[in-house]
Amino acid sequence: MSAAVPLPALSALPPRLEDFVARARARLLPEPDLDGVPLRGDHELTPEFRDLVAKVRGAAVLIPVVARPDPTVLLTLRSSHLPSHAGQIAFPGGKIDPTDPDPLHAALREAEEEVGLDRKLVAPLGYLDPYLARTGYRIVPVVGLVQPDFGLTLNPGEVDEAFEVPLDFLMSPDNHHRESREWLGMMRTFHAMTYDKRRIWGITAGILRSLYERVYG
């Protein structure tokens, strides 16, 4: 994995951040798994979704872990005017374009386009297993350590807000819930978590659960 910025020495990090970075270095995938069949995805809790996927398309998201003494995860609130997933909480990310050499480039490019996060402030730590969405996107999650002195410029056509959630909260299984609701004549089950009245659910919560299981599980 090529890093946009060098990874810091563990001895230079505050204890909680040091613990996360050490775990991430040891347990995340060093390269994206682009050949295997995605085992993670919406179909884990709703198996019927696998039958709805007719064509698989590539996508990538950045999981931006902000390097604070008590680390946080930077999330976005998608614009209410978007044609899909409007008003939902998400990671910066999107389709892998033909001009993207790899998922890392796509995730960093999308983060710059959506929230103005300078890729020079992101040190990639590794990858999670690809996540298959019911819409057919095979999402490669890239975990990156973000220097805390970043500035953001939101793209109003894509993002209404950017905010941080404590990593400890997101990685606590006590805050992970499963919810169900009827959708297209079937009962859909999905991961969900709520922080400070912000409801994180669906793909974003599923990827966070995947991060917990790989790094802390």
Side-chain angles (χ1 to χ4, degrees):
M1 167 180 287
S2 60
V5 295
L7 291 173
L10 290 180
S11 59
L13 300 177
R16 289 188 178 181
L17 184 59
E18 177 186 356
D19 177 69
F20 171 75
V21 172
R23 289 172 179 268
R25 283 175 168 175
R27 300 180 181 183
L28 292 175
L29 300 174
E31 298 294 338
D33 180 7
L34 300 178
D35 298 320
V37 176
L39 300 178
R40 312 310 305 254
D42 292 340
H43 59 280
E44 289 183 87
L45 300 184
T46 309
E48 295 86 348
F49 278 164
R50 187 181 283 278
D51 297 331
L52 298 180
V53 177
K55 180 180 179 181
V56 176
R57 295 162 288 179
V61 297
L62 178 66
I63 303 177
V65 178
V66 184
R68 306 193 187 282
D70 291 322
T72 62
V73 176
L74 179 67
L75 294 169
T76 70
L77 181 65
R78 288 170 57 85
S79 170
S80 57
H81 303 295
L82 289 172
S84 62
H85 305 293
Q88 293 184 13
I89 291 174
F91 298 110
K95 300 176 185 176
I96 298 177
D97 290 343
T99 55
D100 292 318
D102 51 37
L104 172 61
H105 185 277
L108 295 175
R109 174 184 56 75
E110 286 283 346
E112 284 187 328
E113 293 176 359
E114 291 182 10
V115 298
L117 180 62
D118 188 344
R119 69 182 65 198
K120 295 178 182 178
L121 301 178
V122 183
L125 293 172
Y127 299 87
L128 292 176
D129 297 299
Y131 187 99
L132 182 63
R134 64 170 178 80
T135 52
Y137 282 104
R138 188 175 187 270
I139 304 167
V140 176
V142 182
V143 182
L145 190 66
V146 181
Q147 295 182 25
D149 55 349
F150 62 86
L152 300 179
T153 303
L154 305 187
N155 180 342
E158 297 192 57
V159 174
D160 282 345
E161 187 180 353
F163 58 95
E164 297 177 38
V165 178
L167 180 68
D168 280 353
F169 176 89
L170 297 172
M171 294 297 101
S172 172
D174 291 341
N175 298 322
H176 300 177
H177 306 285
R178 292 185 182 184
E179 299 180 4
S180 298
R181 72 179 182 189
E182 188 172 347
W183 181 83
L184 292 181
M186 68 178 71
M187 190 58 66
R188 177 187 181 185
T189 301
F190 49 88
H191 293 286
M193 41 191 92
T194 300
Y195 175 76
D196 194 22
K197 299 183 180 180
R198 296 184 185 274
R199 188 166 179 268
I200 306 166
W201 66 285
I203 293 172
T204 304
I207 291 176
L208 286 168
R209 177 68 188 187
S210 179
L211 178 66
Y212 160 74
E213 291 178 358
R214 178 167 281 278
V215 176
Y216 292 97

Short mmCIF file of all heavy atoms in Angstrom, two decimals, residues 91-159:
data_model
loop_
_atom_site.label_atom_id
_atom_site.label_comp_id
_atom_site.label_asym_id
_atom_site.label_seq_id
_atom_site.Cartn_x
_atom_site.Cartn_y
_atom_site.Cartn_z
N PHE A 91 -19.76 7.52 4.58
CA PHE A 91 -18.34 7.83 4.47
C PHE A 91 -18.11 8.60 3.17
O PHE A 91 -18.88 8.45 2.21
CB PHE A 91 -17.51 6.55 4.41
CG PHE A 91 -17.61 5.67 5.62
CD1 PHE A 91 -18.27 4.46 5.57
CD2 PHE A 91 -17.02 6.05 6.82
CE1 PHE A 91 -18.35 3.64 6.68
CE2 PHE A 91 -17.09 5.24 7.94
CZ PHE A 91 -17.76 4.04 7.86
N PRO A 92 -17.06 9.40 3.09
CA PRO A 92 -16.69 9.96 1.79
C PRO A 92 -16.36 8.80 0.84
O PRO A 92 -15.65 7.87 1.21
CB PRO A 92 -15.45 10.80 2.09
CG PRO A 92 -15.46 11.02 3.56
CD PRO A 92 -16.15 9.83 4.16
N GLY A 93 -16.87 8.87 -0.38
CA GLY A 93 -16.57 7.80 -1.32
C GLY A 93 -17.54 7.77 -2.48
O GLY A 93 -18.47 8.58 -2.55
N GLY A 94 -17.31 6.84 -3.39
CA GLY A 94 -18.17 6.73 -4.55
C GLY A 94 -17.62 5.73 -5.54
O GLY A 94 -16.80 4.86 -5.20
N LYS A 95 -18.05 5.84 -6.79
CA LYS A 95 -17.66 4.90 -7.84
C LYS A 95 -16.16 4.97 -8.10
O LYS A 95 -15.53 6.02 -7.97
CB LYS A 95 -18.39 5.24 -9.14
CG LYS A 95 -19.90 5.19 -9.06
CD LYS A 95 -20.50 5.64 -10.39
CE LYS A 95 -22.02 5.73 -10.31
NZ LYS A 95 -22.60 6.25 -11.58
N ILE A 96 -15.60 3.83 -8.47
CA ILE A 96 -14.23 3.79 -8.95
C ILE A 96 -14.25 4.12 -10.44
O ILE A 96 -14.84 3.38 -11.24
CB ILE A 96 -13.59 2.41 -8.71
CG1 ILE A 96 -13.53 2.11 -7.20
CG2 ILE A 96 -12.19 2.34 -9.31
CD1 ILE A 96 -12.98 0.74 -6.86
N ASP A 97 -13.68 5.23 -10.81
CA ASP A 97 -13.67 5.67 -12.21
C ASP A 97 -12.59 4.95 -12.99
O ASP A 97 -11.61 4.46 -12.42
CB ASP A 97 -13.42 7.18 -12.28
CG ASP A 97 -14.60 8.00 -11.78
OD1 ASP A 97 -15.71 7.43 -11.69
OD2 ASP A 97 -14.41 9.19 -11.50
N PRO A 98 -12.74 4.88 -14.32
CA PRO A 98 -11.70 4.25 -15.15
C PRO A 98 -10.34 4.92 -14.99
O PRO A 98 -9.30 4.27 -15.21
CB PRO A 98 -12.24 4.43 -16.58
CG PRO A 98 -13.72 4.56 -16.42
CD PRO A 98 -13.92 5.27 -15.12
N THR A 99 -10.32 6.19 -14.60
CA THR A 99 -9.04 6.89 -14.43
C THR A 99 -8.40 6.64 -13.07
O THR A 99 -7.26 7.06 -12.84
CB THR A 99 -9.25 8.41 -14.60
OG1 THR A 99 -10.28 8.84 -13.70
CG2 THR A 99 -9.67 8.73 -16.04
N ASP A 100 -9.11 5.97 -12.17
CA ASP A 100 -8.55 5.65 -10.85
C ASP A 100 -7.68 4.40 -10.96
O ASP A 100 -8.17 3.34 -11.36
CB ASP A 100 -9.67 5.39 -9.83
CG ASP A 100 -10.47 6.63 -9.49
OD1 ASP A 100 -9.84 7.70 -9.33
OD2 ASP A 100 -11.70 6.54 -9.39
N PRO A 101 -6.41 4.48 -10.59
CA PRO A 101 -5.55 3.30 -10.70
C PRO A 101 -5.89 2.21 -9.69
O PRO A 101 -5.57 1.04 -9.91
CB PRO A 101 -4.14 3.86 -10.46
CG PRO A 101 -4.36 5.12 -9.68
CD PRO A 101 -5.65 5.68 -10.16
N ASP A 102 -6.53 2.59 -8.56
CA ASP A 102 -6.84 1.60 -7.54
C ASP A 102 -7.90 2.18 -6.60
O ASP A 102 -8.23 3.37 -6.66
CB ASP A 102 -5.58 1.19 -6.76
CG ASP A 102 -4.80 2.39 -6.23
OD1 ASP A 102 -5.43 3.38 -5.83
OD2 ASP A 102 -3.55 2.34 -6.24
N PRO A 103 -8.47 1.35 -5.70
CA PRO A 103 -9.49 1.85 -4.77
C PRO A 103 -8.99 2.95 -3.86
O PRO A 103 -9.76 3.84 -3.48
CB PRO A 103 -9.89 0.60 -3.99
CG PRO A 103 -9.59 -0.54 -4.91
CD PRO A 103 -8.35 -0.13 -5.64
N LEU A 104 -7.72 2.90 -3.45
CA LEU A 104 -7.17 3.95 -2.59
C LEU A 104 -7.27 5.31 -3.28
O LEU A 104 -7.72 6.29 -2.67
CB LEU A 104 -5.72 3.64 -2.24
CG LEU A 104 -4.95 4.74 -1.51
CD1 LEU A 104 -5.59 5.07 -0.18
CD2 LEU A 104 -3.48 4.32 -1.31
N HIS A 105 -6.87 5.36 -4.53
CA HIS A 105 -6.94 6.62 -5.28
C HIS A 105 -8.38 7.10 -5.39
O HIS A 105 -8.67 8.29 -5.22
CB HIS A 105 -6.34 6.42 -6.67
CG HIS A 105 -6.25 7.68 -7.48
ND1 HIS A 105 -7.32 8.18 -8.21
CD2 HIS A 105 -5.23 8.56 -7.67
CE1 HIS A 105 -6.96 9.30 -8.82
NE2 HIS A 105 -5.70 9.55 -8.51
N ALA A 106 -9.31 6.17 -5.64
CA ALA A 106 -10.72 6.54 -5.76
C ALA A 106 -11.25 7.10 -4.45
O ALA A 106 -11.97 8.12 -4.43
CB ALA A 106 -11.54 5.33 -6.18
N ALA A 107 -10.92 6.45 -3.32
CA ALA A 107 -11.41 6.91 -2.03
C ALA A 107 -10.86 8.29 -1.68
O ALA A 107 -11.60 9.16 -1.21
CB ALA A 107 -11.04 5.90 -0.94
N LEU A 108 -9.57 8.51 -1.92
CA LEU A 108 -8.97 9.81 -1.62
C LEU A 108 -9.51 10.89 -2.55
O LEU A 108 -9.76 12.02 -2.13
CB LEU A 108 -7.45 9.72 -1.73
CG LEU A 108 -6.75 8.81 -0.71
CD1 LEU A 108 -5.25 8.72 -1.02
CD2 LEU A 108 -6.98 9.31 0.71
N ARG A 109 -9.70 10.55 -3.81
CA ARG A 109 -10.25 11.52 -4.77
C ARG A 109 -11.67 11.93 -4.37
O ARG A 109 -12.01 13.12 -4.37
CB ARG A 109 -10.27 10.90 -6.18
CG ARG A 109 -10.96 11.79 -7.23
CD ARG A 109 -11.04 11.11 -8.58
NE ARG A 109 -11.70 9.82 -8.54
CZ ARG A 109 -13.01 9.64 -8.43
NH1 ARG A 109 -13.83 10.69 -8.31
NH2 ARG A 109 -13.54 8.42 -8.41
N GLU A 110 -12.48 10.94 -4.02
CA GLU A 110 -13.86 11.25 -3.63
C GLU A 110 -13.89 12.10 -2.35
O GLU A 110 -14.73 13.00 -2.22
CB GLU A 110 -14.65 9.96 -3.42
CG GLU A 110 -15.02 9.23 -4.70
CD GLU A 110 -16.18 9.89 -5.42
OE1 GLU A 110 -16.87 10.73 -4.81
OE2 GLU A 110 -16.42 9.56 -6.60
N ALA A 111 -12.99 11.83 -1.41
CA ALA A 111 -12.95 12.62 -0.18
C ALA A 111 -12.58 14.07 -0.48
O ALA A 111 -13.12 15.00 0.13
CB ALA A 111 -11.97 12.01 0.82
N GLU A 112 -11.67 14.27 -1.42
CA GLU A 112 -11.32 15.63 -1.83
C GLU A 112 -12.51 16.32 -2.51
O GLU A 112 -12.79 17.49 -2.24
CB GLU A 112 -10.12 15.61 -2.76
CG GLU A 112 -8.79 15.37 -2.07
CD GLU A 112 -7.60 15.51 -2.98
OE1 GLU A 112 -7.73 15.18 -4.18
OE2 GLU A 112 -6.53 15.94 -2.51
N GLU A 113 -13.20 15.58 -3.37
CA GLU A 113 -14.31 16.17 -4.12
C GLU A 113 -15.51 16.46 -3.23
O GLU A 113 -16.19 17.47 -3.42
CB GLU A 113 -14.72 15.24 -5.26
CG GLU A 113 -13.66 15.08 -6.35
CD GLU A 113 -14.07 14.07 -7.41
OE1 GLU A 113 -15.17 13.48 -7.28
OE2 GLU A 113 -13.29 13.87 -8.36
N GLU A 114 -15.77 15.61 -2.26
CA GLU A 114 -16.98 15.75 -1.44
C GLU A 114 -16.80 16.75 -0.30
O GLU A 114 -17.69 17.57 -0.05
CB GLU A 114 -17.40 14.40 -0.88
CG GLU A 114 -17.94 13.43 -1.92
CD GLU A 114 -18.39 12.13 -1.30
OE1 GLU A 114 -18.46 12.04 -0.06
OE2 GLU A 114 -18.67 11.19 -2.06
N VAL A 115 -15.67 16.65 0.40
CA VAL A 115 -15.51 17.48 1.61
C VAL A 115 -14.21 18.30 1.60
O VAL A 115 -13.92 18.99 2.58
CB VAL A 115 -15.59 16.63 2.90
CG1 VAL A 115 -16.96 15.97 3.01
CG2 VAL A 115 -14.48 15.60 2.95
N GLY A 116 -13.42 18.21 0.53
CA GLY A 116 -12.20 18.98 0.46
C GLY A 116 -11.10 18.48 1.37
O GLY A 116 -10.22 19.25 1.76
N LEU A 117 -11.11 17.18 1.72
CA LEU A 117 -10.08 16.62 2.58
C LEU A 117 -8.81 16.39 1.74
O LEU A 117 -8.81 15.58 0.81
CB LEU A 117 -10.55 15.31 3.20
CG LEU A 117 -9.56 14.61 4.13
CD1 LEU A 117 -9.24 15.48 5.33
CD2 LEU A 117 -10.13 13.26 4.59
N ASP A 118 -7.75 17.08 2.09
CA ASP A 118 -6.49 17.00 1.35
C ASP A 118 -5.88 15.61 1.54
O ASP A 118 -5.61 15.19 2.67
CB ASP A 118 -5.53 18.08 1.87
CG ASP A 118 -4.27 18.19 1.04
OD1 ASP A 118 -3.96 17.27 0.25
OD2 ASP A 118 -3.57 19.22 1.18
N ARG A 119 -5.65 14.90 0.44
CA ARG A 119 -5.10 13.55 0.54
C ARG A 119 -3.71 13.52 1.18
O ARG A 119 -3.28 12.49 1.67
CB ARG A 119 -5.06 12.89 -0.85
CG ARG A 119 -4.04 13.49 -1.81
CD ARG A 119 -4.13 12.80 -3.15
NE ARG A 119 -5.41 13.06 -3.79
CZ ARG A 119 -5.90 12.30 -4.79
NH1 ARG A 119 -5.21 11.27 -5.23
NH2 ARG A 119 -7.07 12.60 -5.33
N LYS A 120 -3.02 14.66 1.16
CA LYS A 120 -1.70 14.72 1.78
C LYS A 120 -1.77 14.60 3.31
O LYS A 120 -0.76 14.38 3.96
CB LYS A 120 -1.00 16.02 1.41
CG LYS A 120 -0.69 16.16 -0.07
CD LYS A 120 -0.04 17.49 -0.37
CE LYS A 120 0.23 17.65 -1.86
NZ LYS A 120 0.82 18.99 -2.18
N LEU A 121 -2.98 14.72 3.86
CA LEU A 121 -3.17 14.61 5.30
C LEU A 121 -3.63 13.23 5.73
O LEU A 121 -3.92 13.00 6.90
CB LEU A 121 -4.18 15.66 5.78
CG LEU A 121 -3.83 17.13 5.51
CD1 LEU A 121 -4.95 18.03 5.99
CD2 LEU A 121 -2.51 17.50 6.19
N VAL A 122 -3.71 12.30 4.77
CA VAL A 122 -4.25 10.97 5.05
C VAL A 122 -3.15 9.91 4.90
O VAL A 122 -2.52 9.81 3.84
CB VAL A 122 -5.41 10.63 4.09
CG1 VAL A 122 -6.01 9.27 4.45
CG2 VAL A 122 -6.49 11.71 4.14
N ALA A 123 -2.93 9.15 5.96
CA ALA A 123 -2.00 8.03 5.92
C ALA A 123 -2.82 6.74 5.89
O ALA A 123 -3.46 6.38 6.88
CB ALA A 123 -1.09 8.04 7.14
N PRO A 124 -2.84 6.02 4.77
CA PRO A 124 -3.62 4.78 4.69
C PRO A 124 -3.08 3.72 5.66
O PRO A 124 -1.87 3.51 5.76
CB PRO A 124 -3.44 4.34 3.23
CG PRO A 124 -3.03 5.58 2.50
CD PRO A 124 -2.22 6.37 3.47
N LEU A 125 -4.00 3.05 6.35
CA LEU A 125 -3.64 2.01 7.31
C LEU A 125 -3.90 0.60 6.77
O LEU A 125 -3.25 -0.35 7.20
CB LEU A 125 -4.41 2.19 8.62
CG LEU A 125 -4.08 3.44 9.44
CD1 LEU A 125 -5.06 3.57 10.60
CD2 LEU A 125 -2.66 3.38 9.96
N GLY A 126 -4.86 0.46 5.86
CA GLY A 126 -5.19 -0.85 5.32
C GLY A 126 -6.62 -0.88 4.82
O GLY A 126 -7.31 0.15 4.77
N TYR A 127 -7.06 -2.08 4.47
CA TYR A 127 -8.37 -2.26 3.86
C TYR A 127 -9.22 -3.23 4.67
O TYR A 127 -8.70 -4.14 5.32
CB TYR A 127 -8.22 -2.83 2.44
CG TYR A 127 -7.44 -1.95 1.50
CD1 TYR A 127 -6.06 -2.05 1.42
CD2 TYR A 127 -8.08 -1.03 0.67
CE1 TYR A 127 -5.33 -1.25 0.54
CE2 TYR A 127 -7.36 -0.23 -0.20
CZ TYR A 127 -5.99 -0.35 -0.27
OH TYR A 127 -5.27 0.44 -1.12
N LEU A 128 -10.53 -3.05 4.58
CA LEU A 128 -11.48 -4.05 5.06
C LEU A 128 -11.89 -4.93 3.89
O LEU A 128 -11.65 -4.62 2.72
CB LEU A 128 -12.72 -3.37 5.64
CG LEU A 128 -12.55 -2.57 6.92
CD1 LEU A 128 -13.86 -1.90 7.29
CD2 LEU A 128 -12.06 -3.46 8.05
N ASP A 129 -12.54 -6.05 4.22
CA ASP A 129 -13.10 -6.89 3.17
C ASP A 129 -14.12 -6.08 2.36
O ASP A 129 -14.85 -5.26 2.92
CB ASP A 129 -13.80 -8.10 3.78
CG ASP A 129 -12.82 -8.99 4.54
OD1 ASP A 129 -11.89 -9.49 3.91
OD2 ASP A 129 -13.00 -9.16 5.76
N PRO A 130 -14.19 -6.30 1.04
CA PRO A 130 -15.18 -5.59 0.24
C PRO A 130 -16.60 -5.82 0.78
O PRO A 130 -16.92 -6.90 1.30
CB PRO A 130 -15.02 -6.19 -1.16
CG PRO A 130 -13.62 -6.70 -1.18
CD PRO A 130 -13.35 -7.18 0.23
N TYR A 131 -17.43 -4.80 0.62
CA TYR A 131 -18.81 -4.84 1.12
C TYR A 131 -19.74 -4.77 -0.09
O TYR A 131 -19.70 -3.81 -0.87
CB TYR A 131 -19.05 -3.67 2.06
CG TYR A 131 -20.38 -3.69 2.77
CD1 TYR A 131 -20.49 -4.15 4.08
CD2 TYR A 131 -21.54 -3.24 2.14
CE1 TYR A 131 -21.72 -4.17 4.74
CE2 TYR A 131 -22.77 -3.26 2.78
CZ TYR A 131 -22.85 -3.73 4.08
OH TYR A 131 -24.07 -3.75 4.73
N LEU A 132 -20.60 -5.79 -0.26
CA LEU A 132 -21.52 -5.83 -1.39
C LEU A 132 -22.85 -5.19 -1.00
O LEU A 132 -23.54 -5.68 -0.11
CB LEU A 132 -21.74 -7.28 -1.84
CG LEU A 132 -22.66 -7.47 -3.05
CD1 LEU A 132 -22.07 -6.81 -4.29
CD2 LEU A 132 -22.91 -8.95 -3.30
N ALA A 133 -23.18 -4.08 -1.66
CA ALA A 133 -24.45 -3.39 -1.40
C ALA A 133 -25.56 -4.00 -2.25
O ALA A 133 -25.30 -4.56 -3.31
CB ALA A 133 -24.30 -1.91 -1.71
N ARG A 134 -26.77 -3.86 -1.77
CA ARG A 134 -27.90 -4.41 -2.52
C ARG A 134 -28.04 -3.77 -3.89
O ARG A 134 -28.64 -4.34 -4.80
CB ARG A 134 -29.20 -4.22 -1.72
CG ARG A 134 -29.57 -2.77 -1.51
CD ARG A 134 -30.96 -2.60 -0.93
NE ARG A 134 -31.26 -1.19 -0.70
CZ ARG A 134 -31.64 -0.35 -1.63
NH1 ARG A 134 -31.78 -0.75 -2.88
NH2 ARG A 134 -31.90 0.92 -1.34
N THR A 135 -27.48 -2.56 -4.06
CA THR A 135 -27.55 -1.86 -5.33
C THR A 135 -26.53 -2.39 -6.34
O THR A 135 -26.51 -1.96 -7.50
CB THR A 135 -27.28 -0.36 -5.13
OG1 THR A 135 -26.06 -0.20 -4.39
CG2 THR A 135 -28.40 0.28 -4.34
N GLY A 136 -25.66 -3.33 -5.91
CA GLY A 136 -24.70 -3.91 -6.82
C GLY A 136 -23.31 -3.34 -6.72
O GLY A 136 -22.41 -3.80 -7.42
N TYR A 137 -23.11 -2.35 -5.86
CA TYR A 137 -21.77 -1.79 -5.71
C TYR A 137 -20.94 -2.68 -4.78
O TYR A 137 -21.39 -3.05 -3.70
CB TYR A 137 -21.83 -0.37 -5.16
CG TYR A 137 -22.20 0.65 -6.22
CD1 TYR A 137 -23.48 1.18 -6.28
CD2 TYR A 137 -21.26 1.03 -7.17
CE1 TYR A 137 -23.83 2.09 -7.26
CE2 TYR A 137 -21.60 1.94 -8.17
CZ TYR A 137 -22.88 2.47 -8.21
OH TYR A 137 -23.21 3.35 -9.20
N ARG A 138 -19.75 -2.99 -5.23
CA ARG A 138 -18.79 -3.76 -4.45
C ARG A 138 -17.82 -2.75 -3.86
O ARG A 138 -16.91 -2.28 -4.52
CB ARG A 138 -18.06 -4.75 -5.35
CG ARG A 138 -17.17 -5.75 -4.65
CD ARG A 138 -16.63 -6.71 -5.72
NE ARG A 138 -15.88 -7.81 -5.15
CZ ARG A 138 -14.58 -7.78 -4.91
NH1 ARG A 138 -13.89 -6.70 -5.19
NH2 ARG A 138 -13.97 -8.83 -4.41
N ILE A 139 -18.06 -2.38 -2.60
CA ILE A 139 -17.38 -1.24 -1.98
C ILE A 139 -16.12 -1.71 -1.28
O ILE A 139 -16.16 -2.62 -0.44
CB ILE A 139 -18.32 -0.56 -0.97
CG1 ILE A 139 -19.63 -0.13 -1.65
CG2 ILE A 139 -17.63 0.64 -0.33
CD1 ILE A 139 -20.72 0.25 -0.68
N VAL A 140 -15.00 -1.08 -1.61
CA VAL A 140 -13.74 -1.35 -0.92
C VAL A 140 -13.53 -0.27 0.14
O VAL A 140 -13.32 0.90 -0.20
CB VAL A 140 -12.55 -1.37 -1.89
CG1 VAL A 140 -11.23 -1.55 -1.13
CG2 VAL A 140 -12.72 -2.46 -2.93
N PRO A 141 -13.61 -0.60 1.43
CA PRO A 141 -13.36 0.39 2.49
C PRO A 141 -11.86 0.55 2.76
O PRO A 141 -11.17 -0.43 3.04
CB PRO A 141 -14.09 -0.18 3.71
CG PRO A 141 -14.94 -1.32 3.19
CD PRO A 141 -14.19 -1.83 1.99
N VAL A 142 -11.38 1.79 2.67
CA VAL A 142 -9.98 2.12 2.94
C VAL A 142 -9.93 2.84 4.29
O VAL A 142 -10.60 3.87 4.47
CB VAL A 142 -9.40 3.03 1.85
CG1 VAL A 142 -7.93 3.32 2.13
CG2 VAL A 142 -9.59 2.42 0.47
N VAL A 143 -9.17 2.32 5.23
CA VAL A 143 -9.04 2.97 6.54
C VAL A 143 -7.82 3.89 6.49
O VAL A 143 -6.72 3.45 6.14
CB VAL A 143 -8.88 1.94 7.67
CG1 VAL A 143 -8.80 2.64 9.03
CG2 VAL A 143 -10.05 0.95 7.65
N GLY A 144 -8.03 5.17 6.80
CA GLY A 144 -6.94 6.13 6.76
C GLY A 144 -6.84 6.95 8.03
O GLY A 144 -7.87 7.30 8.63
N LEU A 145 -5.62 7.23 8.46
CA LEU A 145 -5.39 8.07 9.63
C LEU A 145 -5.23 9.51 9.15
O LEU A 145 -4.35 9.80 8.33
CB LEU A 145 -4.14 7.60 10.37
CG LEU A 145 -3.88 8.23 11.74
CD1 LEU A 145 -4.96 7.83 12.73
CD2 LEU A 145 -2.50 7.82 12.25
N VAL A 146 -6.08 10.41 9.64
CA VAL A 146 -6.14 11.79 9.17
C VAL A 146 -5.49 12.72 10.19
O VAL A 146 -5.86 12.69 11.38
CB VAL A 146 -7.59 12.22 8.92
CG1 VAL A 146 -7.64 13.66 8.40
CG2 VAL A 146 -8.27 11.28 7.92
N GLN A 147 -4.55 13.53 9.75
CA GLN A 147 -3.96 14.52 10.64
C GLN A 147 -5.05 15.49 11.11
O GLN A 147 -5.88 15.94 10.32
CB GLN A 147 -2.85 15.29 9.91
CG GLN A 147 -1.66 14.42 9.53
CD GLN A 147 -0.57 15.21 8.86
OE1 GLN A 147 -0.42 16.41 9.06
NE2 GLN A 147 0.23 14.53 8.03
N PRO A 148 -5.07 15.81 12.40
CA PRO A 148 -6.22 16.55 12.96
C PRO A 148 -6.30 18.02 12.57
O PRO A 148 -7.31 18.66 12.85
CB PRO A 148 -6.02 16.39 14.48
CG PRO A 148 -4.56 16.18 14.65
CD PRO A 148 -4.12 15.41 13.44
N ASP A 149 -5.29 18.56 11.92
CA ASP A 149 -5.33 19.98 11.56
C ASP A 149 -5.89 20.20 10.17
O ASP A 149 -5.54 21.15 9.48
CB ASP A 149 -3.93 20.60 11.66
CG ASP A 149 -2.89 19.84 10.84
OD1 ASP A 149 -3.22 18.73 10.36
OD2 ASP A 149 -1.77 20.35 10.67
N PHE A 150 -6.78 19.32 9.74
CA PHE A 150 -7.36 19.45 8.40
C PHE A 150 -8.40 20.55 8.35
O PHE A 150 -8.98 20.94 9.38
CB PHE A 150 -7.98 18.12 7.95
CG PHE A 150 -9.13 17.67 8.83
CD1 PHE A 150 -10.43 18.10 8.60
CD2 PHE A 150 -8.90 16.79 9.90
CE1 PHE A 150 -11.49 17.68 9.40
CE2 PHE A 150 -9.95 16.38 10.71
CZ PHE A 150 -11.24 16.82 10.47
N GLY A 151 -8.65 21.04 7.15
CA GLY A 151 -9.76 21.95 6.90
C GLY A 151 -10.64 21.34 5.83
O GLY A 151 -10.17 20.58 4.98
N LEU A 152 -11.92 21.65 5.87
CA LEU A 152 -12.87 21.06 4.92
C LEU A 152 -13.57 22.14 4.11
O LEU A 152 -13.84 23.23 4.61
CB LEU A 152 -13.91 20.22 5.65
CG LEU A 152 -13.40 19.03 6.48
CD1 LEU A 152 -14.58 18.32 7.14
CD2 LEU A 152 -12.61 18.06 5.61
N THR A 153 -13.89 21.79 2.87
CA THR A 153 -14.74 22.61 2.01
C THR A 153 -15.79 21.68 1.42
O THR A 153 -15.48 20.87 0.54
CB THR A 153 -13.93 23.29 0.89
OG1 THR A 153 -12.89 24.08 1.47
CG2 THR A 153 -14.84 24.18 0.05
N LEU A 154 -17.01 21.78 1.92
CA LEU A 154 -18.05 20.83 1.52
C LEU A 154 -18.58 21.15 0.13
O LEU A 154 -18.78 22.32 -0.22
CB LEU A 154 -19.20 20.85 2.53
CG LEU A 154 -18.84 20.60 4.00
CD1 LEU A 154 -20.12 20.47 4.82
CD2 LEU A 154 -17.96 19.37 4.16
N ASN A 155 -18.81 20.10 -0.65
CA ASN A 155 -19.48 20.24 -1.95
C ASN A 155 -20.98 20.21 -1.69
O ASN A 155 -21.53 19.16 -1.37
CB ASN A 155 -19.07 19.08 -2.86
CG ASN A 155 -19.72 19.14 -4.23
OD1 ASN A 155 -20.70 19.83 -4.42
ND2 ASN A 155 -19.17 18.40 -5.18
N PRO A 156 -21.69 21.34 -1.82
CA PRO A 156 -23.10 21.39 -1.44
C PRO A 156 -23.99 20.50 -2.31
O PRO A 156 -25.11 20.16 -1.90
CB PRO A 156 -23.47 22.86 -1.60
CG PRO A 156 -22.47 23.40 -2.58
CD PRO A 156 -21.21 22.64 -2.32
N GLY A 157 -23.49 20.10 -3.47
CA GLY A 157 -24.28 19.21 -4.31
C GLY A 157 -24.26 17.78 -3.83
O GLY A 157 -25.09 16.97 -4.27
N GLU A 158 -23.32 17.46 -2.92
CA GLU A 158 -23.19 16.09 -2.45
C GLU A 158 -23.32 15.94 -0.94
O GLU A 158 -23.78 14.90 -0.46
CB GLU A 158 -21.84 15.51 -2.89
CG GLU A 158 -21.66 15.41 -4.39
CD GLU A 158 -20.45 14.59 -4.76
OE1 GLU A 158 -20.36 13.42 -4.36
OE2 GLU A 158 -19.57 15.13 -5.46
N VAL A 159 -22.90 16.96 -0.20
CA VAL A 159 -22.81 16.84 1.25
C VAL A 159 -23.43 18.05 1.93
O VAL A 159 -23.12 19.19 1.57
CB VAL A 159 -21.33 16.69 1.70
CG1 VAL A 159 -21.21 16.70 3.21
CG2 VAL A 159 -20.73 15.43 1.12
#
